Amino acid sequence: MLNLVVLTGAGVSAESGIPTFRGKEGLWKNFKPEELATPEAFRRNPKLVWEWYDWRRQIISKAEPNKAHKLLAQLNAVIITQNVDGLHQRAGAKKVIELHGNIWRVRCTNCGKEYENYEVPLREIPPKCKFCNGLLRPAVVWFGECLPLDALEEAERLAKSCEVFLVVGTSGVVYPAGLLPFVAKQHGAKVVEINPESTPISEIADIVIREKASVGVEKFIRTMLNL
Ligand code: APR
């Protein structure tokens, strides 16, 4: 069996109606990351940050996994994702490594407890901890914060040991996630990129499939896995 590992970004969820970050209608075109996705921004104005996450949770709660999510879930491969939307898991993927956390989890800034919260819309903004009534924050990774170490180490280990590293729907400009295709390449893997646009990863990719995820993943499965 082919030792395949997959890395995904916002592009894989674009066809589910979830905006990407840096595309034409991308979130960072309309919002300032420094005001919404940094620990400093949260300290300054937790209400503003939570209003934005509540808005994103409402969009994601209405979204369904698309064909790309479903096809990737059928591949017996580990999916390393930068996405916080949980759509890979909802599509049935069993082995998902979340590098940037999950929008359906919250963490208390007082007692540190982390738990799932699917309230849409949030009854109270900012929401409070169900254990200690402390201020909750989204359990996602903000700019300037470290990734969960166990997830990052596992992702690097998999990138170093795979035969094929499939990259779907990421601009590859956010690190350390954007380094993983280069790590895989350095350790002898074939790098395959699926993205309608070129990215820094295109430079090192052995195969580039210039398609949207739903079309590109199907093409990959048919041509490369002959499935
Ligand atoms: N199918 C495949 N790829 C697509 C599609 C699609 N339907 N639509 C857009 N794309 C591609 C774009 O061409 C772009 O290269 O998806 C990529 C999305 O890039 P970004 O918006 O930069 O998202 P991502 O790479 O996931 O961002 C990384 O940045 O803002 C932070 O934490 C956030 O996890 C995120 C990280």
Side-chain angles (χ1 to χ4, degrees):
M1 186 136 72
L2 184 71
N3 180 350
L4 169 70
V5 171
V6 183
L7 173 68
T8 66
V12 79
S13 295
E15 292 157 81
S16 297
I18 299 176
T20 66
F21 293 92
R22 294 169 189 83
K24 270 196 284 325
E25 299 306 314
L27 291 170
W28 298 147
K29 288 279 180 312
N30 307 314
F31 301 98
K32 293 199 179 71
E34 64 276 12
E35 283 175 11
L36 296 164
T38 66
E40 296 74 27
F42 186 73
R43 263 193 297 282
R44 259 196 321 271
N45 192 340
K47 186 168 176 298
L48 176 71
V49 171
W50 265 115
E51 279 162 354
W52 189 62
Y53 277 90
D54 188 43
W55 171 75
R56 289 181 60 195
R57 286 160 55 112
Q58 292 179 48
I59 293 172
I60 295 169
S61 67
K62 297 189 189 89
E64 291 299 327
N66 61 55
K67 189 174 174 183
H69 292 113
K70 293 172 185 161
L71 288 172
L72 290 171
Q74 288 156 19
L75 295 177
N76 185 23
V78 176
I79 300 174
I80 303 165
T81 190
Q82 298 167 85
N83 300 344
V84 297
D85 56 33
L87 289 182
H88 285 302
Q89 295 92 325
R90 281 180 51 199
K94 295 285 174 287
K95 295 178 272 183
V96 180
I97 297 175
E98 295 177 312
L99 291 179
H100 296 165
N102 188 299
I103 206 165
W104 300 114
R105 278 206 305 278
V106 294
R107 187 164 65 242
C108 179
T109 60
N110 180 49
C111 70
K113 286 206 176 69
E114 185 170 318
Y115 54 93
E116 289 180 343
N117 171 307
Y118 289 94
E119 215 177 80
V120 174
L122 287 164
R123 270 192 302 266
E124 182 190 10
I125 287 189
K128 299 293 180 349
C129 176
K130 66 180 181 185
F131 298 104
C132 76
N133 208 38
L135 173 62
L136 289 174
R137 60 160 284 171
V140 299
V141 177
W142 284 326
F143 290 104
E145 294 189 316
C146 296
L147 275 59
L149 198 54
D150 52 349
L152 183 57
E153 286 175 347
E154 178 65 0
E156 281 171 356
R157 188 187 66 72
L158 290 162
K160 288 175 180 168
S161 60
C162 66
E163 292 167 281
V164 174
F165 194 81
L166 174 64
V167 186
V168 186
T170 182
S171 58
V173 299
V174 171
Y175 298 111
L179 288 175
L180 291 169
F182 295 83
V183 171
K185 180 85 177 181
Q186 275 155 16
H187 288 75
K190 273 215 178 330
V191 173
V192 180
E193 181 188 48
I194 297 173
N195 194 317
E197 291 170 22
S198 82
T199 73
I201 297 161
S202 312
E203 313 298 315
I204 58 147
D206 299 277
I207 295 170
V208 171
I209 303 175
R210 277 279 165 262
E211 300 278 4
K212 290 188 168 186
S214 58
V215 176
V217 172
E218 187 172 31
K219 216 180 231 181
F220 169 79
I221 292 171
R222 212 165 355 92
T223 55
M224 286 202 60
L225 306 185
N226 306 320
L227 293 177

